[in-house]
Each structure stands twice: as structure tokens, then as C-alpha cells.
Amino acid sequence: MTTIVPDPALFAGAVSFSQEADTGLRPWRLPVEDASLFPSPDDGLFGRAGCPSGVRLRFATDSPTVRIKLRPVHPEEVTDSDPFVVDLTSGGELIDSQRVVGGEYVADLGRGTPASVTEIGDGIYEVWLSPFFATVVEAIEIEDGARFGVPADDRPRWVAYGSSITMCRQAHSPARTWPATVARALGLNLVSLGFGGQCHLDPMVGRVIRDLPADVLTLKLGINVYGAASLNARSYPAAVIGLLATIRDGHPHTPIGVITSIASPPRERVANAVGCTLEAYREMTRDAVRRLQAAGDRHLHLFEGTDLFADSDAHLLPDDLHPNGDGYELLGMRAAKVVLPRLLADVPRSR
């Protein structure tokens, strides 16, 4: 076997990396060099940024077998009921899903790789890392004499910001989160900035999104602000407008889709500690978007989260808040029909 040392170029969906005790690379979804500038209780935001939801290894090879050595940063968190799982996809199709035991994922590519592969651009694969378990990738091994490379990725780049409902810990597997379901269906290069419990319209997160390359953007807003009562009727509308204005500084013509909260029956008409219901946050989000549209933002789009996941889907909310695996795939299939096509149709032709 030939060993390949992990390199940032091998990763898709990551924002930054750290070297972990000379044993490999750990991907992050915020700039790790600026970790101290993202303060939150118990460092919850940056802790979630260290979980590789939507992050994958992307490579082309004609090796019939690929071994990837990887380990969870906190192995004590992995249990039989909450396993460490990775997925293998090619051309958007899910080929394999495995629980990783012993720190090695073995991909059998013999069936999926054409026998006539002659160019490194053929046989492109993506290995999706766990949405929740921080992961270090230590090495990749291929058969001796096989070709291996990192192909160019010219797919439209989609940056998706949100809460745990975008991070999708409860998904069936890493490639079956709702953003991954959309990305695979429509051929998108996904960067998922779903941070469980931490979608509070942080200005520094807005600056990160502003500076990331993107062809389309989505912001799914409201549920964490409701749950933590972190913004009230005075501060929430201003925060939505400020976040979008910051992002617009770096993306003046990029289509942005703002998505209100999906259904959560116990929260719809129950006021939180600052006197706001979940429906009130939806209406404040709508109003903020309309104000920006009236001020001239022609590439800002509003979508109702309840069109993607409604009260009638509540049987797929085991805790009345987070969709289960089937619910996330349903949400993704609907977003692939309702949200992303509208945004992609608005991408400037000169992209």
C-alpha cells in the first residue's frame, strides 16, 4: 500500500485545519486561528465548529481499495447508540456507509471504478465525515501503482448557515443530512455552517460567511434565538439586517435565501423568556427581509421553513424540535425542489 499524508486540498466543506500532535489533520468549520474571537458559554460555538458536519475527503483514484485512518477526537463520546459513521459517495450516489471501529475505514472501490479509467479525473469519490464527532484524519492508503489526485471542483458552491437542524446529528448518516441530501441531488459543493445550539446571528460568523467563496447562500434563522431567548423584539430584527448587510459586503450579487424556522408545535405560540413566540420570530425575519428587499436587494429571497417541514410532519420530530433521520431527508428533498433551484436560477450568468 502507498500512504498519502492528509493535505487541506483533500478536504471539501472545511474552513480551516489544525495539526493534531503530528498525527493528522483536524478540519474546522470556522477559522481555528481566530478561535478566541468567537466567545460563547463553555466555548459552545467553537466546539460545534470542530464537528465536521458536511466535511468530506474528495479525491479521484483508480485504486480498487482505499483505506483511511481516522479517529474521533473524543472517543469516549462514541457509543453503540451514537456510533462513529462515515459515508462514501460518487456522483451524488451513496455507495457505502460504515461504522468506524479501530480507527480505519476501508472503501471497496473495485465495483464502482470503471475498468477503463485512464485519467485522474475519473473515479471521483467523497468520504463524508461524522456530523457530530470531531475527527482527525491521519492517513490515506491506496494500492501500490494506483493513481490518486484531487480533481478540480467546478460545482456551484453553497454555504448553508443554521442551527442543530442544519448540523443534523440525528441524520441516518453523514451524507443524509438535509444539506447533504440537497447537495448530492443537485450537484453542489457544500459548506455547512450548522452549529448546534449556536445560531445566534453572531457578527463574527457573518464576517466568515462574507469572506467565504459562494455561488449561493442560505441562512436558516430563529430556533436557537427562541430557545435561548438571546435576542428580543428590539434586537432580533436589527441582528438579522446587520448579519445580511455584513454578508452583502462580500457577496453583493450572490443569491441569498433566508429560511424561517421549521415547525415545532410546542413553541409556535408559547412565549420565551423575552416574550417572543416562534411564530413571532418568523414574522420578524420576514419583516427584516422585506425591508432589505424594499431597500434594493434584488438577490435576497425569503422561504418559509414550514413549507419544508410543517405541523403535519411533527410525527418525524421525536423531541418536538429535531427531525429524525427520515425527517432530515424529507426536509432535504423539499429544499432541493423549493429553495436551491430558485437561488441557482438567480446566479449571475458570468459565474
Side-chain angles (χ1 to χ4, degrees):
M1 302 290 286
T2 298
T3 299
I4 296 163
V5 177
D7 180 271
L10 274 169
F11 291 80
V15 172
S16 65
F17 302 88
S18 60
Q19 187 77 42
E20 300 293 313
D22 297 325
T23 60
L25 282 182
R26 176 181 176 181
W28 296 79
R29 294 178 298 127
L30 287 173
V32 67
E33 64 274 13
D34 294 332
S36 65
L37 302 181
F38 295 83
S40 61
D42 299 320
D43 289 328
L45 174 56
F46 225 83
R48 293 293 185 255
C51 302
S53 183
V55 176
R56 60 263 182 222
L57 299 169
R58 185 174 186 273
F59 54 85
T61 187
D62 60 358
S63 178
T65 303
V66 174
R67 291 187 175 89
I68 301 175
K69 296 183 178 181
L70 69 174
R71 59 178 174 83
V73 175
H74 304 290
E76 70 280 1
E77 297 178 350
V78 180
T79 65
D80 288 341
S81 60
D82 200 3
F84 185 49
V85 176
V86 298
D87 284 347
L88 175 70
T89 63
S90 182
E93 295 297 320
L94 180 61
I95 298 174
D96 184 36
S97 185
Q98 285 188 25
R99 292 188 177 198
V100 177
V101 178
E104 184 172 271
Y105 168 68
V106 180
D108 178 7
L109 307 183
R111 292 166 298 157
T113 304
S116 61
V117 168
T118 58
E119 297 181 8
I120 198 63
D122 295 332
I124 298 175
Y125 300 93
E126 290 186 315
V127 175
W128 298 70
L129 304 181
S130 165
F132 188 75
F133 295 116
T135 302
V136 174
V137 179
E138 298 181 328
I140 299 172
E141 295 181 346
I142 61 172
E143 301 287 346
D144 291 337
R147 289 188 294 276
F148 184 95
V150 180
D153 193 344
D154 60 358
R155 297 173 298 176
R157 186 177 173 96
W158 169 33
V159 177
Y161 173 55
S163 65
S164 57
I165 298 172
T166 297
M167 190 173 172
C168 304
R169 181 179 185 177
Q170 298 83 3
H172 288 306
S173 66
R176 298 170 72 183
T177 67
W178 83 258
T181 298
V182 175
R184 292 192 295 114
L186 300 183
L188 304 177
N189 179 0
L190 170 67
V191 177
S192 181
L193 301 184
F195 304 120
Q198 301 297 326
C199 182
H200 295 279
L201 290 68
D202 297 77
M204 285 299 293
V205 175
R207 288 168 60 90
V208 171
I209 299 171
R210 176 198 67 186
D211 296 338
L212 287 174
D215 296 298
V216 293
L217 296 143
T218 58
L219 288 76
K220 192 173 174 304
L221 307 178
I223 190 62
N224 286 162
V225 173
Y226 171 90
S230 56
L231 296 166
N232 59 24
R234 167 62 181 84
S235 55
Y236 181 76
V240 173
I241 291 172
L243 178 69
L244 287 165
T246 296
I247 294 169
R248 271 285 174 248
D249 288 340
H251 296 281
H253 306 296
T254 302
I256 299 176
V258 176
I259 307 171
T260 64
S261 298
I262 67 170
S264 181
R267 297 166 175 81
E268 296 295 332
R269 296 173 181 82
V270 175
N272 64 6
V274 295
C276 296
T277 66
L278 188 57
E279 175 53 31
Y281 282 112
R282 284 197 198 98
E283 182 53 37
M284 287 187 280
T285 303
R286 296 180 193 116
D287 181 67
V289 170
R290 290 167 185 151
R291 288 172 183 267
L292 288 165
Q293 290 171 333
D297 193 333
R298 296 180 292 108
H299 300 288
L300 183 61
H301 303 261
L302 178 66
F303 300 92
E304 294 294 339
T306 51
D307 289 340
L308 305 179
F309 200 97
D311 283 349
S312 59
D313 302 310
H315 62 287
L316 300 175
L317 295 172
D319 61 358
D320 293 322
L321 177 61
H322 300 93
N324 61 15
D326 290 345
Y328 278 127
E329 288 190 290
L330 177 65
L331 199 165
M333 288 186 288
R334 288 173 176 166
K337 293 179 180 178
V338 175
V339 178
L340 272 300
R342 187 163 134 197
L343 299 179
L344 291 166
D346 191 30
V347 174
R349 297 302 179 193
S350 60
R351 186 189 73 83

